[in-house]
């Protein structure tokens, strides 16, 4: 089994995605989507960004490596009556079956960053975007003090070392790597912009309950707990994550957790 696919099929990311819908909506609003735009959402999950793009009249294809998320996205599109939103299984580092120059906009929010072989990802997104089109990525930033970078950092400390040659997904959050990877795919530096932006997680429960959701449904956290349990360290991991979520919570309401997280927003103007 492909470990990249297994990681994301392991849990149920829809349970975390539910806390990201408002920011997904804001992110798409900022993309100035016009009707009939051809949009590819890579690592689309169940459609947090694909769905608002389709609601604005774009023809949207969501591609994701996890078959359970492709099914979940398809169900959501059908329930919303969006015939212009489709999902299919695929790998961001090998988009075979998708023709060159097919999309006006390729978007990937915390999606393609998780595919192995980042150079291949850059090559593929540039290949399927049309000349004059745009690629917009959202990538978590290594070492950032906000939520997701810290979850991944803490989880990493409880997990076995990655296999030799493994390139951390977080490397996509470093501007120099972004420029190098898109440069190798034929995009000059002047056509790439990187800026910091914020995604806010809104969860209808306490920070402790939000940690429980990550433990139960978020593949990377599930794997960290599996490893920690083997070493008798699961309680320590739980404690560290609860302290993190508590300290980052900005909600004053007892039944709501609201946590902003910083990410690198990358925009590429396809030559
Ligand atoms: C953190 S989730 C983000 C999902 C969605 N973009 C969102 O904002 O809710 C990461 C997504 O990337 C997908 N993914 C991971 N590796 C992938 C790959 N190689 N190709 C395509 N999708 C991938 C996962 O299955 C998962 O749906």
């Amino acid at each position: 089994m492909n470990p990249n696919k297994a990681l994301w099929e392991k849990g149920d990311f829809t349970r975390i995605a539910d806390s990201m819908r408002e920011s997904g909506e804001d992110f798409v609003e900022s993309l100035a989507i016009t009707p009939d735009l051809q949009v590819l959402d890579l690592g689309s999950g169940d459609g947090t960004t694909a769905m608002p793009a389709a609601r604005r009249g774009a023809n949207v294809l969501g591609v994701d490596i996890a078959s359970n998320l492709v099914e979940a996205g398809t169900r959501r599109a059908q329930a919303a009556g969006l015939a212009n939103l489709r999902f299919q299984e695929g790998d961001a580092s090998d988009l075979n079956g998708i023709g060159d120059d097919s999309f006006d906009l390729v978007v990937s929010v915390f999606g393609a960053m998780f595919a192995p072989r980042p150079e291949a990802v850059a090559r593929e997104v540039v290949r399927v975007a049309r000349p004059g089109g745009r690629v917009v990525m959202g990538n978590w930033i290594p070492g950032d003090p906000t939520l997701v970078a810290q979850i991944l950092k803490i989880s990493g400390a409880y997990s076995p070392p990655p296999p030799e040659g493994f390139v951390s997904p977080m490397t996509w959050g470093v501007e120099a790597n972004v420029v190098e990877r898109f440069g190798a795919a034929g995009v000059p530096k002047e056509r790439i912009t990187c800026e910091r932006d914020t995604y806010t997680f809104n969860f209808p429960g306490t920070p402790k309950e939000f940690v429980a959701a990550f433990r139960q449904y978020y593949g990377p956290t599930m794997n960290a707990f599996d490893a920690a349990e083997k070493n008798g360290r699961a309680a320590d991991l739980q404690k560290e994550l609860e302290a993190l979520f508590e300290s980052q919570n900005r909600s004053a309401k007892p039944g709501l957790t609201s946590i902003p997280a910083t990410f690198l927003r990358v925009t590429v103007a396809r030559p």
Side-chain angles (χ1 to χ4, degrees):
M1 174 57 135
N2 171 348
N4 175 221
K5 182 174 166 70
L7 174 69
W8 293 99
E9 288 182 347
K10 184 173 175 126
D12 180 1
F13 186 74
T14 66
R15 307 296 286 256
I16 305 299
D18 277 341
S19 68
M20 301 166 75
R21 305 293 188 213
E22 286 102 333
S23 280
E25 188 70 44
D26 292 347
F27 188 88
V28 170
E29 180 59 28
S30 74
L31 294 174
I33 304 261
T34 47
D36 299 326
L37 206 72
Q38 301 297 321
V39 177
L40 172 66
D41 188 339
L42 264 186
S44 56
D46 66 350
T48 294
T49 43
M51 188 172 266
R55 285 219 172 88
R56 284 163 175 77
N59 291 313
V60 185
L61 174 64
V63 169
D64 200 282
I65 201 159
S67 57
N68 55 331
L69 298 176
V70 168
E71 280 164 24
T74 304
R75 278 196 303 273
R76 291 181 76 227
Q78 278 164 0
L82 288 168
N84 55 330
L85 173 58
R86 290 186 302 118
F87 292 87
Q88 71 184 43
E89 213 174 300
D91 185 336
S93 61
D94 182 6
L95 295 171
N96 69 62
I98 298 186
D100 298 357
D101 309 342
S102 297
F103 295 97
D104 302 300
L105 171 65
V106 179
V107 63
S108 187
V109 180
F110 323 129
M113 67 173 284
F114 288 103
R117 302 195 297 124
E119 286 76 15
V121 170
R123 212 170 39 240
E124 282 295 77
V125 296
V126 170
R127 178 182 72 75
V128 301
R130 70 162 172 80
R134 277 180 295 165
V135 177
V136 182
M137 285 181 91
N139 301 331
W140 299 120
I141 301 169
D144 188 82
T146 61
L147 187 75
V148 184
Q150 289 300 312
I151 294 175
L152 296 172
K153 183 174 166 213
I154 292 169
S155 300
Y158 288 83
S159 308
E164 183 134 358
F166 177 82
V167 181
S168 164
M170 303 300 281
T171 56
W172 270 113
V174 176
E175 181 165 354
N177 295 330
V178 170
V179 168
E180 188 186 335
R181 289 164 188 176
F182 281 112
V187 181
K189 194 173 172 211
E190 314 75 71
R191 300 186 75 94
I192 304 168
T193 59
C194 294
E195 57 207 323
R196 282 177 183 239
D197 203 342
T198 303
Y199 234 72
T200 299
F201 291 77
N202 289 320
F203 180 79
T206 62
K208 211 172 171 158
E209 287 164 343
F210 200 16
V211 171
F214 270 82
R215 182 172 182 167
Q216 200 174 351
Y217 300 116
Y218 183 63
T221 310
M222 293 166 78
N223 276 353
F225 271 103
D226 286 351
E229 266 157 22
K230 285 192 190 117
N231 301 324
R233 297 175 69 211
D236 293 342
L237 174 54
Q238 177 85 26
K239 227 164 94 187
E240 269 203 71
L241 289 176
E242 284 177 4
L244 171 71
F245 281 54
E246 292 280 359
S247 69
Q248 304 251 334
N249 181 23
R250 297 289 171 268
S251 168
K253 293 189 197 146
L256 179 75
T257 299
S258 184
I259 304 183
T262 306
F263 68 98
L264 190 71
R265 180 185 175 125
V266 176
T267 306
V268 174
R270 162 79 154 89

